[in-house]
Coordinates of all heavy atoms in Angstrom, one line a residue:
M1 N -20.2 9.3 57.2 CA -19.5 10.6 57.5 C -18.0 10.3 57.5 O -17.5 9.4 58.0 CB -20.0 11.0 59.0 CG -19.1 12.0 59.6 SD -19.6 12.6 61.2 CE -20.0 11.2 62.1
D2 N -17.3 11.2 56.8 CA -15.9 11.1 56.7 C -15.3 11.8 57.9 O -15.4 13.1 58.0 CB -15.4 11.8 55.4 CG -13.9 11.8 55.3 OD1 -13.2 11.0 55.9 OD2 -13.4 12.7 54.6
M3 N -14.7 11.1 58.8 CA -14.1 11.7 60.0 C -12.6 11.9 59.9 O -12.0 12.4 60.9 CB -14.4 10.8 61.2 CG -15.9 10.8 61.5 SD -16.2 9.9 63.1 CE -16.6 8.2 62.4
T4 N -12.0 11.5 58.8 CA -10.5 11.5 58.8 C -10.0 13.0 58.7 O -8.9 13.2 59.2 CB -10.0 10.7 57.6 OG1 -10.6 11.2 56.4 CG2 -10.3 9.3 57.8
S5 N -10.7 13.9 58.0 CA -10.2 15.2 57.8 C -10.9 16.3 58.6 O -10.7 17.5 58.4 CB -10.2 15.5 56.3 OG -11.5 15.5 55.9
R6 N -11.9 15.9 59.4 CA -12.7 16.8 60.2 C -11.9 17.3 61.4 O -11.1 16.5 62.0 CB -14.0 16.2 60.6 CG -14.9 15.7 59.5 CD -15.7 16.8 58.8 NE -16.6 17.5 59.6 CZ -17.8 17.3 59.7 NH1 -18.4 16.2 59.1 NH2 -18.6 18.0 60.5
E7 N -12.2 18.5 61.8 CA -11.6 19.0 63.1 C -12.7 19.5 64.0 O -13.7 20.0 63.5 CB -10.7 20.2 62.8 CG -9.4 19.8 62.0 CD -8.5 21.0 61.8 OE1 -8.6 22.0 62.5 OE2 -7.5 20.8 61.0
V8 N -12.5 19.3 65.3 CA -13.4 19.8 66.3 C -12.6 20.7 67.2 O -11.5 20.3 67.6 CB -14.0 18.6 67.1 CG1 -14.9 19.0 68.2 CG2 -14.7 17.7 66.1
R9 N -13.2 21.8 67.5 CA -12.5 22.8 68.4 C -13.0 22.6 69.9 O -14.2 22.4 70.1 CB -12.8 24.2 68.0 CG -12.2 24.5 66.6 CD -12.5 26.0 66.3 NE -12.0 26.4 65.0 CZ -10.8 26.8 64.8 NH1 -10.0 27.0 65.8 NH2 -10.4 27.1 63.6
I10 N -12.0 22.6 70.8 CA -12.2 22.5 72.2 C -11.5 23.7 72.8 O -10.3 23.9 72.5 CB -11.7 21.2 72.8 CG1 -12.5 20.0 72.1 CG2 -11.9 21.2 74.3 CD1 -11.9 18.6 72.6
P11 N -12.2 24.4 73.7 CA -11.5 25.6 74.3 C -10.2 25.1 75.0 O -10.2 24.0 75.7 CB -12.5 26.1 75.3 CG -13.9 25.7 74.8 CD -13.6 24.3 74.1
L12 N -9.2 25.9 74.9 CA -7.9 25.4 75.4 C -7.9 25.1 76.9 O -7.3 24.1 77.3 CB -6.8 26.5 75.2 CG -5.4 26.2 75.6 CD1 -4.9 25.0 75.0 CD2 -4.5 27.4 75.3
D13 N -8.6 25.9 77.7 CA -8.6 25.6 79.2 C -9.3 24.2 79.4 O -8.8 23.5 80.3 CB -9.3 26.7 80.0 CG -10.7 26.9 79.6 OD1 -11.2 26.6 78.4 OD2 -11.5 27.4 80.5
Q14 N -10.3 23.9 78.7 CA -11.0 22.6 78.9 C -10.1 21.5 78.4 O -10.0 20.4 79.0 CB -12.3 22.6 78.2 CG -13.3 23.6 78.9 CD -14.6 23.6 78.1 OE1 -15.0 22.7 77.4 NE2 -15.4 24.6 78.4
A15 N -9.4 21.7 77.2 CA -8.5 20.7 76.7 C -7.4 20.4 77.7 O -7.1 19.2 77.9 CB -8.0 21.1 75.3
V16 N -6.8 21.4 78.3 CA -5.8 21.2 79.2 C -6.2 20.5 80.5 O -5.6 19.5 80.9 CB -5.1 22.6 79.6 CG1 -4.2 22.4 80.8 CG2 -4.4 23.2 78.4
E17 N -7.4 20.8 81.0 CA -8.0 20.1 82.1 C -8.2 18.6 81.8 O -7.8 17.7 82.6 CB -9.3 20.7 82.5 CG -9.3 22.0 83.2 CD -10.7 22.6 83.5 OE1 -11.7 21.8 83.5 OE2 -10.7 23.8 83.7
V18 N -8.7 18.3 80.6 CA -8.9 16.9 80.2 C -7.6 16.2 80.1 O -7.4 15.1 80.6 CB -9.7 16.9 78.9 CG1 -9.7 15.5 78.3 CG2 -11.2 17.3 79.1
V19 N -6.6 16.8 79.5 CA -5.3 16.2 79.3 C -4.6 15.9 80.7 O -4.1 14.9 80.9 CB -4.4 17.0 78.4 CG1 -2.9 16.5 78.4 CG2 -4.9 17.0 76.9
Q20 N -4.8 16.9 81.6 CA -4.2 16.7 82.9 C -4.9 15.5 83.6 O -4.2 14.7 84.2 CB -4.4 18.0 83.8 CG -3.5 19.1 83.4 CD -3.8 20.4 84.1 OE1 -5.0 20.7 84.4 NE2 -2.8 21.1 84.5
D21 N -6.2 15.5 83.6 CA -6.9 14.4 84.2 C -6.5 13.0 83.6 O -6.3 12.1 84.3 CB -8.4 14.6 84.1 CG -9.0 15.6 85.1 OD1 -8.2 15.9 86.1 OD2 -10.1 16.0 84.9
L22 N -6.5 13.0 82.3 CA -6.2 11.7 81.6 C -4.7 11.3 81.9 O -4.5 10.1 82.1 CB -6.4 11.8 80.1 CG -7.9 12.0 79.7 CD1 -8.0 12.2 78.2 CD2 -8.7 10.8 80.1
N23 N -3.8 12.2 81.9 CA -2.4 11.9 82.2 C -2.3 11.3 83.6 O -1.7 10.3 83.9 CB -1.6 13.1 82.1 CG -0.1 12.8 82.3 OD1 0.5 12.0 81.6 ND2 0.5 13.4 83.3
E24 N -3.0 12.0 84.6 CA -3.0 11.5 86.0 C -3.6 10.1 86.1 O -3.0 9.3 86.7 CB -3.9 12.5 86.8 CG -4.0 12.2 88.2 CD -4.9 13.2 88.9 OE1 -4.4 14.3 89.2 OE2 -6.1 12.9 89.2
L25 N -4.6 9.9 85.4 CA -5.3 8.5 85.4 C -4.4 7.5 84.8 O -4.3 6.4 85.3 CB -6.7 8.6 84.8 CG -7.7 9.5 85.6 CD1 -9.0 9.6 84.8 CD2 -7.9 9.0 87.0
V26 N -3.9 7.8 83.6 CA -3.1 6.8 82.9 C -1.8 6.4 83.6 O -1.5 5.2 83.8 CB -2.7 7.3 81.4 CG1 -1.7 6.4 80.8 CG2 -4.0 7.3 80.6
V27 N -1.1 7.4 84.1 CA 0.1 7.2 84.9 C -0.2 6.4 86.2 O 0.4 5.4 86.5 CB 0.9 8.5 85.2 CG1 2.0 8.2 86.2 CG2 1.4 9.1 83.9
S28 N -1.3 6.8 86.9 CA -1.6 6.1 88.1 C -2.1 4.7 87.9 O -1.7 3.8 88.6 CB -2.7 6.9 88.8 OG -2.3 8.2 89.2
L29 N -2.9 4.5 86.8 CA -3.3 3.1 86.5 C -2.1 2.2 86.1 O -2.1 1.0 86.5 CB -4.4 3.1 85.4 CG -5.8 3.5 85.9 CD1 -6.7 3.8 84.7 CD2 -6.4 2.5 86.9
D30 N -1.2 2.8 85.4 CA 0.0 2.0 85.0 C 0.8 1.6 86.2 O 1.2 0.4 86.3 CB 0.9 2.9 84.0 CG 2.1 2.1 83.6 OD1 1.9 1.0 82.9 OD2 3.2 2.6 83.9
R31 N 0.9 2.5 87.1 CA 1.6 2.2 88.4 C 0.9 1.1 89.2 O 1.5 0.2 89.7 CB 1.8 3.4 89.2 CG 2.8 4.4 88.6 CD 3.0 5.6 89.4 NE 3.9 6.6 88.8 CZ 4.2 7.8 89.2 NH1 3.5 8.3 90.2 NH2 5.0 8.5 88.6
L32 N -0.4 1.3 89.2 CA -1.3 0.3 89.9 C -1.2 -1.1 89.3 O -1.0 -2.1 90.0 CB -2.7 0.8 90.0 CG -3.7 0.0 90.7 CD1 -3.3 -0.2 92.2 CD2 -5.1 0.6 90.7
V33 N -1.2 -1.2 88.0 CA -1.1 -2.5 87.4 C 0.2 -3.1 87.6 O 0.4 -4.3 87.8 CB -1.5 -2.3 85.8 CG1 -1.1 -3.6 85.1 CG2 -2.9 -2.0 85.7
S34 N 1.3 -2.2 87.6 CA 2.6 -2.8 87.9 C 2.7 -3.3 89.3 O 3.3 -4.4 89.5 CB 3.7 -1.6 87.7 OG 3.8 -1.3 86.4
R35 N 2.1 -2.6 90.2 CA 2.1 -3.1 91.6 C 1.3 -4.4 91.7 O 1.7 -5.3 92.5 CB 1.6 -2.0 92.6 CG 2.5 -0.9 92.7 CD 2.0 0.2 93.6 NE 3.0 1.3 93.6 CZ 2.7 2.5 94.1 NH1 1.5 2.7 94.6 NH2 3.6 3.4 94.0
L36 N 0.2 -4.5 91.0 CA -0.6 -5.7 91.0 C 0.3 -6.9 90.5 O 0.3 -8.0 91.0 CB -1.8 -5.6 90.2 CG -3.0 -4.7 90.8 CD1 -4.1 -4.5 89.7 CD2 -3.5 -5.4 92.0
G37 N 1.0 -6.6 89.4 CA 1.9 -7.6 88.8 C 3.0 -8.1 89.7 O 3.4 -9.2 89.6
T38 N 3.5 -7.2 90.5 CA 4.6 -7.5 91.4 C 4.1 -8.0 92.8 O 4.9 -8.4 93.6 CB 5.6 -6.4 91.6 OG1 4.9 -5.3 92.3 CG2 6.2 -5.9 90.3
G39 N 2.8 -8.0 93.0 CA 2.3 -8.5 94.3 C 2.4 -7.5 95.4 O 2.1 -7.8 96.5
T40 N 2.7 -6.2 95.1 CA 2.8 -5.2 96.2 C 1.4 -4.5 96.3 O 1.3 -3.6 97.1 CB 3.9 -4.2 95.9 OG1 3.7 -3.6 94.6 CG2 5.3 -4.9 95.9
A41 N 0.4 -4.9 95.6 CA -0.9 -4.4 95.7 C -1.9 -5.5 95.4 O -1.6 -6.4 94.7 CB -1.2 -3.2 94.8
D42 N -3.1 -5.4 96.0 CA -4.1 -6.5 95.7 C -5.2 -5.8 94.9 O -5.2 -4.6 94.6 CB -4.6 -7.1 96.9 CG -5.3 -6.2 97.9 OD1 -5.7 -5.1 97.5 OD2 -5.6 -6.6 99.0
E43 N -6.1 -6.7 94.5 CA -7.2 -6.2 93.6 C -8.1 -5.2 94.2 O -8.7 -4.4 93.5 CB -8.0 -7.4 93.1 CG -7.2 -8.3 92.1 CD -8.1 -9.5 91.7 OE1 -9.3 -9.6 91.9 OE2 -7.5 -10.4 91.1
S44 N -8.2 -5.1 95.5 CA -9.0 -4.1 96.1 C -8.4 -2.7 95.9 O -9.1 -1.7 96.0 CB -9.1 -4.3 97.6 OG -7.9 -4.2 98.3
A45 N -7.1 -2.6 95.6 CA -6.5 -1.3 95.3 C -7.1 -0.6 94.1 O -7.2 0.6 94.1 CB -5.0 -1.5 95.1
I46 N -7.6 -1.4 93.1 CA -8.3 -0.8 92.0 C -9.5 -0.1 92.4 O -9.8 1.1 92.0 CB -8.6 -1.9 90.9 CG1 -7.3 -2.5 90.4 CG2 -9.4 -1.3 89.8 CD1 -7.5 -3.7 89.5
G47 N -10.4 -0.7 93.2 CA -11.6 -0.1 93.6 C -11.3 1.1 94.5 O -12.0 2.2 94.4
T48 N -10.3 1.0 95.3 CA -9.9 2.2 96.2 C -9.5 3.3 95.3 O -9.9 4.5 95.6 CB -8.8 1.8 97.2 OG1 -9.3 0.7 98.0 CG2 -8.4 2.9 98.0
F49 N -8.7 3.1 94.3 CA -8.2 4.1 93.4 C -9.4 4.8 92.7 O -9.5 6.0 92.7 CB -7.2 3.6 92.4 CG -6.8 4.5 91.3 CD1 -6.0 5.6 91.6 CD2 -7.4 4.4 90.1 CE1 -5.7 6.5 90.6 CE2 -7.0 5.3 89.1 CZ -6.2 6.3 89.3
V50 N -10.2 4.0 92.1 CA -11.4 4.5 91.4 C -12.2 5.4 92.3 O -12.6 6.5 91.8 CB -12.2 3.4 90.8 CG1 -13.5 3.9 90.2 CG2 -11.4 2.6 89.7
L51 N -12.5 5.0 93.5 CA -13.3 5.8 94.4 C -12.6 7.0 94.9 O -13.1 8.2 94.9 CB -13.8 5.0 95.5 CG -14.8 3.9 95.1 CD1 -15.2 3.0 96.3 CD2 -16.1 4.4 94.5
D52 N -11.4 6.8 95.4 CA -10.6 7.9 96.1 C -10.2 9.0 95.1 O -10.0 10.1 95.5 CB -9.4 7.4 96.8 CG -9.8 6.6 98.1 OD1 -11.0 6.5 98.5 OD2 -8.9 6.0 98.7
W53 N -9.9 8.6 93.9 CA -9.4 9.6 92.9 C -10.5 10.1 92.0 O -10.2 10.8 91.0 CB -8.3 8.9 92.1 CG -7.0 8.7 92.9 CD1 -6.8 8.0 94.0 CD2 -5.8 9.3 92.6 NE1 -5.6 8.1 94.5 CE2 -4.9 8.9 93.6 CE3 -5.3 10.2 91.6 CZ2 -3.5 9.3 93.7 CZ3 -4.0 10.6 91.7 CH2 -3.1 10.2 92.7
N54 N -11.7 9.8 92.3 CA -12.9 10.3 91.5 C -12.7 10.0 90.0 O -12.9 10.9 89.1 CB -13.0 11.8 91.7 CG -13.4 12.2 93.1 OD1 -14.3 11.6 93.6 ND2 -12.6 13.1 93.7
V55 N -12.3 8.8 89.7 CA -12.1 8.4 88.3 C -13.3 8.6 87.5 O -13.2 9.1 86.3 CB -11.5 7.0 88.2 CG1 -11.5 6.5 86.8 CG2 -10.2 6.9 88.9
L56 N -14.5 8.2 88.0 CA -15.7 8.3 87.2 C -16.0 9.8 86.9 O -16.3 10.1 85.7 CB -16.9 7.7 87.9 CG -18.2 7.8 87.2 CD1 -18.2 7.1 85.9 CD2 -19.3 7.2 88.1
R57 N -15.9 10.7 87.8 CA -16.1 12.1 87.6 C -15.2 12.7 86.6 O -15.6 13.4 85.7 CB -16.0 12.9 88.9 CG -16.3 14.4 88.7 CD -16.0 15.2 90.0 NE -14.6 15.1 90.4 CZ -13.6 15.7 89.9 NH1 -13.7 16.5 88.8 NH2 -12.4 15.5 90.4
K58 N -13.9 12.3 86.7 CA -12.9 12.8 85.7 C -13.1 12.3 84.3 O -13.0 13.1 83.3 CB -11.5 12.5 86.2 CG -11.1 13.2 87.4 CD -9.8 12.8 88.0 CE -9.4 13.5 89.2 NZ -8.1 13.1 89.8
L59 N -13.5 11.1 84.2 CA -13.7 10.5 82.8 C -15.0 11.1 82.3 O -15.1 11.4 81.1 CB -13.7 9.0 82.9 CG -12.4 8.4 83.1 CD1 -12.6 6.8 83.3 CD2 -11.4 8.7 82.0
A60 N -16.0 11.2 83.1 CA -17.3 11.8 82.7 C -17.1 13.3 82.2 O -17.7 13.7 81.2 CB -18.4 11.8 83.8
R61 N -16.3 14.0 82.9 CA -16.0 15.4 82.5 C -15.3 15.4 81.1 O -15.6 16.2 80.3 CB -15.1 16.1 83.6 CG -14.6 17.4 83.2 CD -15.6 18.5 83.2 NE -14.9 19.8 82.9 CZ -15.4 20.7 82.1 NH1 -16.6 20.5 81.5 NH2 -14.8 21.8 81.8
A62 N -14.3 14.5 80.9 CA -13.6 14.5 79.6 C -14.6 14.1 78.5 O -14.6 14.8 77.5 CB -12.5 13.4 79.7
R63 N -15.5 13.2 78.8 CA -16.5 12.8 77.8 C -17.4 14.0 77.5 O -17.8 14.3 76.3 CB -17.3 11.6 78.3 CG -18.4 11.2 77.2 CD -19.1 10.0 77.7 NE -19.9 10.3 78.9 CZ -20.7 9.4 79.5 NH1 -20.7 8.2 79.1 NH2 -21.4 9.8 80.5
Q64 N -17.8 14.8 78.5 CA -18.7 15.9 78.4 C -18.0 17.0 77.5 O -18.7 17.6 76.6 CB -19.1 16.5 79.7 CG -19.9 17.8 79.6 CD -20.0 18.6 80.8 OE1 -19.2 18.5 81.7 NE2 -21.1 19.3 80.9
V65 N -16.8 17.3 77.8 CA -16.0 18.3 77.0 C -16.0 17.9 75.5 O -16.3 18.7 74.6 CB -14.6 18.5 77.5 CG1 -13.7 19.3 76.6 CG2 -14.6 19.1 78.9
I66 N -15.7 16.7 75.2 CA -15.7 16.2 73.8 C -17.1 16.2 73.2 O -17.3 16.6 72.1 CB -15.1 14.8 73.7 CG1 -13.6 14.9 74.1 CG2 -15.2 14.2 72.3 CD1 -12.9 13.6 74.3
D67 N -18.1 15.7 74.0 CA -19.5 15.7 73.5 C -20.0 17.1 73.1 O -20.6 17.3 72.1 CB -20.4 15.1 74.5 CG -20.4 13.6 74.6 OD1 -19.9 13.0 73.6 OD2 -21.0 13.1 75.5
V68 N -19.7 18.1 74.0 CA -20.1 19.5 73.7 C -19.4 20.0 72.4 O -20.1 20.6 71.6 CB -19.8 20.4 74.9 CG1 -19.9 21.9 74.6 CG2 -20.7 20.1 76.1
A69 N -18.2 19.7 72.3 CA -17.4 20.1 71.1 C -18.0 19.5 69.8 O -18.2 20.1 68.8 CB -16.0 19.8 71.2
L70 N -18.4 18.2 69.9 CA -19.0 17.5 68.8 C -20.3 18.1 68.5 O -20.7 18.3 67.3 CB -19.1 16.0 69.1 CG -17.8 15.2 69.1 CD1 -18.0 13.8 69.5 CD2 -17.1 15.2 67.7
D71 N -21.1 18.3 69.5 CA -22.5 18.9 69.3 C -22.4 20.2 68.5 O -23.2 20.5 67.7 CB -23.2 19.1 70.6 CG -23.7 17.8 71.2 OD1 -23.8 16.8 70.4 OD2 -24.1 17.8 72.4
A72 N -21.4 21.0 68.9 CA -21.2 22.3 68.3 C -20.8 22.3 66.8 O -21.1 23.2 66.0 CB -20.2 23.2 69.1
E73 N -20.0 21.3 66.5 CA -19.4 21.2 65.1 C -20.1 20.3 64.1 O -20.0 20.5 62.9 CB -17.9 20.7 65.3 CG -17.0 21.6 66.1 CD -16.6 22.8 65.4 OE1 -16.6 22.9 64.2 OE2 -16.3 23.8 66.1
L74 N -20.9 19.3 64.6 CA -21.5 18.4 63.7 C -23.0 18.6 63.6 O -23.6 19.2 64.5 CB -21.3 16.9 64.3 CG -19.9 16.5 64.5 CD1 -19.8 15.1 65.1 CD2 -19.1 16.6 63.2
S75 N -23.5 18.2 62.5 CA -25.0 18.2 62.3 C -25.7 17.3 63.2 O -25.1 16.4 63.8 CB -25.3 17.9 60.8 OG -25.1 16.5 60.6
E76 N -27.0 17.4 63.3 CA -27.7 16.5 64.2 C -27.6 15.0 63.7 O -27.4 14.1 64.5 CB -29.2 16.9 64.2 CG -30.1 16.0 65.1 CD -31.5 16.5 65.2 OE1 -31.8 17.6 64.9 OE2 -32.3 15.6 65.6
E77 N -27.6 14.9 62.4 CA -27.5 13.5 61.8 C -26.1 13.0 62.1 O -25.9 11.8 62.4 CB -27.7 13.6 60.3 CG -27.6 12.3 59.6 CD -27.8 12.4 58.1 OE1 -28.9 12.8 57.7 OE2 -26.9 12.0 57.3
E78 N -25.1 13.8 62.0 CA -23.7 13.3 62.3 C -23.6 13.0 63.8 O -22.9 12.0 64.1 CB -22.7 14.4 61.9 CG -22.5 14.6 60.4 CD -21.7 15.8 60.0 OE1 -21.8 16.8 60.7 OE2 -21.0 15.7 59.0
N79 N -24.2 13.8 64.6 CA -24.1 13.5 66.1 C -24.8 12.1 66.4 O -24.4 11.4 67.2 CB -24.7 14.6 66.9 CG -23.7 15.6 67.2 OD1 -22.7 15.3 67.8 ND2 -24.0 16.9 66.9
L80 N -25.9 11.9 65.7 CA -26.6 10.6 65.9 C -25.7 9.4 65.4 O -25.7 8.4 66.0 CB -27.9 10.6 65.1 CG -29.0 11.5 65.7 CD1 -30.2 11.5 64.8 CD2 -29.4 11.0 67.1
E81 N -25.0 9.7 64.4 CA -24.0 8.6 63.9 C -22.9 8.4 64.9 O -22.6 7.2 65.2 CB -23.4 9.0 62.5 CG -22.7 7.9 61.8 CD -22.2 8.3 60.4 OE1 -22.8 9.2 59.8 OE2 -21.2 7.7 60.0
V82 N -22.4 9.4 65.5 CA -21.4 9.3 66.6 C -22.0 8.5 67.7 O -21.4 7.6 68.3 CB -20.8 10.7 67.0 CG1 -20.0 10.5 68.2 CG2 -20.0 11.3 65.8
D83 N -23.2 8.9 68.1 CA -23.9 8.2 69.2 C -24.0 6.7 69.0 O -23.8 5.9 69.8 CB -25.3 8.8 69.5 CG -25.2 10.2 70.1 OD1 -24.1 10.6 70.6 OD2 -26.3 10.9 70.1
A84 N -24.4 6.4 67.7 CA -24.5 5.0 67.3 C -23.2 4.2 67.4 O -23.1 3.1 67.9 CB -25.1 4.9 65.9
L85 N -22.1 4.9 67.0 CA -20.8 4.3 67.1 C -20.4 4.1 68.6 O -19.8 3.0 68.9 CB -19.7 5.2 66.5 CG -19.8 5.3 64.9 CD1 -18.9 6.4 64.4 CD2 -19.4 3.9 64.3
C86 N -20.8 5.0 69.4 CA -20.5 4.9 70.9 C -21.2 3.7 71.5 O -20.7 3.0 72.4 CB -20.8 6.2 71.6 SG -19.6 7.5 71.2
E87 N -22.4 3.5 71.0 CA -23.2 2.4 71.6 C -22.6 1.0 71.2 O -23.0 0.0 71.8 CB -24.7 2.4 71.1 CG -25.4 3.6 71.6 CD -25.6 3.5 73.2 OE1 -25.8 2.4 73.7 OE2 -25.5 4.5 73.8
Q88 N -21.7 1.0 70.2 CA -21.1 -0.3 69.8 C -19.9 -0.7 70.7 O -19.3 -1.7 70.5 CB -20.7 -0.2 68.4 CG -21.8 0.0 67.4 CD -21.3 0.2 66.0 OE1 -20.1 0.0 65.7 NE2 -22.2 0.7 65.1
G89 N -19.6 0.2 71.7 CA -18.4 -0.1 72.5 C -18.6 -1.3 73.4 O -19.6 -1.9 73.5
R90 N -17.5 -1.7 74.0 CA -17.5 -2.8 75.0 C -17.8 -2.2 76.3 O -17.2 -1.2 76.8 CB -16.1 -3.4 75.0 CG -15.8 -4.2 73.8 CD -14.5 -4.9 73.9 NE -14.1 -5.3 75.3 CZ -12.9 -5.8 75.6 NH1 -12.0 -6.0 74.7 NH2 -12.7 -6.1 76.9
F91 N -18.7 -2.8 77.1 CA -19.1 -2.3 78.4 C -19.0 -3.4 79.4 O -19.6 -4.5 79.2 CB -20.6 -1.7 78.3 CG -20.7 -0.6 77.3 CD1 -21.3 -0.9 76.0 CD2 -20.3 0.7 77.6 CE1 -21.4 0.2 75.1 CE2 -20.4 1.7 76.7 CZ -21.0 1.4 75.4
F92 N -18.4 -3.1 80.5 CA -18.2 -4.0 81.6 C -19.6 -4.4 82.1 O -20.4 -3.5 82.3 CB -17.4 -3.4 82.7 CG -17.2 -4.3 83.9 CD1 -16.2 -5.3 83.8 CD2 -17.9 -4.2 85.0 CE1 -16.0 -6.2 84.9 CE2 -17.7 -5.0 86.1 CZ -16.8 -6.0 86.0
G93 N -19.8 -5.6 82.3 CA -21.1 -6.1 82.9 C -22.2 -6.3 81.9 O -23.3 -6.7 82.3
A94 N -21.9 -5.9 80.7 CA -23.0 -6.1 79.6 C -23.0 -7.6 79.2 O -21.9 -8.2 79.0 CB -22.7 -5.2 78.4
G95 N -24.2 -8.1 79.0 CA -24.3 -9.4 78.4 C -24.2 -10.5 79.4 O -24.3 -11.3 80.0

């Protein structure tokens, strides 16, 4: 499947929500990593952040928005190809 010139449409309100969540997470994680590097935070801060800021829920929502858009735009065969590519990712705790 040629993915270089394909476009997928995402409703603007959902795209904005995802961008807001991702921006919040990226900036916060950057700050957290900086604090870890300077010794002003310890490793437990990562777990606290993940739980208190609902990181899993926000990332799962972003994935869902993109998955729905892909399902709407791609054929079943193409979606299976995307699924196979996703299975090739690096997963914490695997192996």
Side-chain angles (χ1 to χ4, degrees):
M1 163 177 46
D2 178 25
M3 292 187 267
T4 57
S5 62
R6 302 280 300 266
E7 291 185 16
V8 175
R9 294 182 181 272
I10 298 174
L12 181 58
D13 62 334
Q14 292 178 19
V16 170
E17 287 176 18
V18 167
V19 168
Q20 287 174 320
D21 282 346
L22 292 175
N23 185 59
E24 179 181 282
L25 295 174
V26 167
V27 170
S28 296
L29 284 169
D30 182 59
R31 290 178 181 171
L32 182 56
V33 168
S34 291
R35 290 180 184 163
L36 288 171
T38 62
T40 57
D42 63 16
E43 291 179 9
S44 68
I46 295 170
T48 300
F49 171 73
V50 168
L51 294 174
D52 289 354
W53 287 62
N54 296 309
V55 171
L56 179 59
R57 181 188 58 77
K58 291 175 182 180
L59 292 174
R61 171 73 176 137
R63 183 179 65 182
Q64 178 195 24
V65 166
I66 294 169
D67 281 346
V68 167
L70 289 173
D71 285 345
E73 299 286 334
L74 301 179
S75 69
E76 184 176 341
E77 181 180 300
E78 290 170 324
N79 272 306
L80 289 172
E81 191 173 337
V82 170
D83 290 345
L85 289 170
C86 289
E87 290 298 320
Q88 297 174 13
R90 288 181 33 186
F91 300 99
F92 180 80

